[in-house]
Amino acid sequence: MDETDWELLREVQDNARLSYKELSRRVHLSPPAVAERVHKLEEAGVITGYHAKVDPIRAGWPVSAFIRMSCYGPRCVLRDPAVATWPGILEIHRVTGDACSILRIVAVSMAAFEQLIDQLASYGQPASTMILSSPLPGHPLAAPAPPD
């Protein structure tokens, strides 16, 4: 990937709804050249999709938390694909350390959060950390620094 690809990625991560015409103006390429580069980035799996950013609070999901799961073996949340379909489960990450996974969740109420914790307890020991605010809710990926 060259600097132009990274410029395209910066723009698309900031606003995926930009037209090829607007992208071409911003990165100083023709619209067909921009379309070809974007298509190549999609085919290479660098661009994996286009998404809307949704405010969970305004969408009716005011409770946010990270849940660390300590579960290993056959009854682990990582081995049950149904867990990923539960309402409120936004992300599941396999991690190192004293937990096997970290889930990012939202809930419509504290009672619903408690119910989700109870559901997860059948897989192992959940430990939660409530999200109070997110000063940096997401950051676009940038070009890696050149090696020294």
Side-chain angles (χ1 to χ4, degrees), residues 10-85:
R10 266 192 304 274
E11 295 294 341
V12 171
Q13 287 178 94
D14 186 50
N15 184 353
R17 296 183 65 174
L18 292 175
S19 67
Y20 288 144
K21 181 179 178 182
E22 179 59 22
L23 275 172
S24 70
R25 186 187 70 73
R26 292 181 182 201
V27 300
H28 311 293
L29 289 176
S30 69
V34 166
E36 182 180 338
R37 280 180 177 258
V38 168
H39 184 69
K40 284 181 181 179
L41 290 167
E42 291 168 344
E43 283 191 340
V46 175
I47 296 176
T48 60
Y50 299 90
H51 311 280
K53 292 180 183 175
V54 177
D55 182 322
I57 294 170
R58 291 183 184 199
W61 297 82
V63 178
S64 296
F66 293 107
I67 300 174
R68 293 171 312 285
M69 290 297 300
S70 296
C71 53
Y72 299 95
R75 189 77 179 132
C76 178
V77 294
L78 296 171
R79 296 180 191 259
D80 186 350
V83 173
T85 67

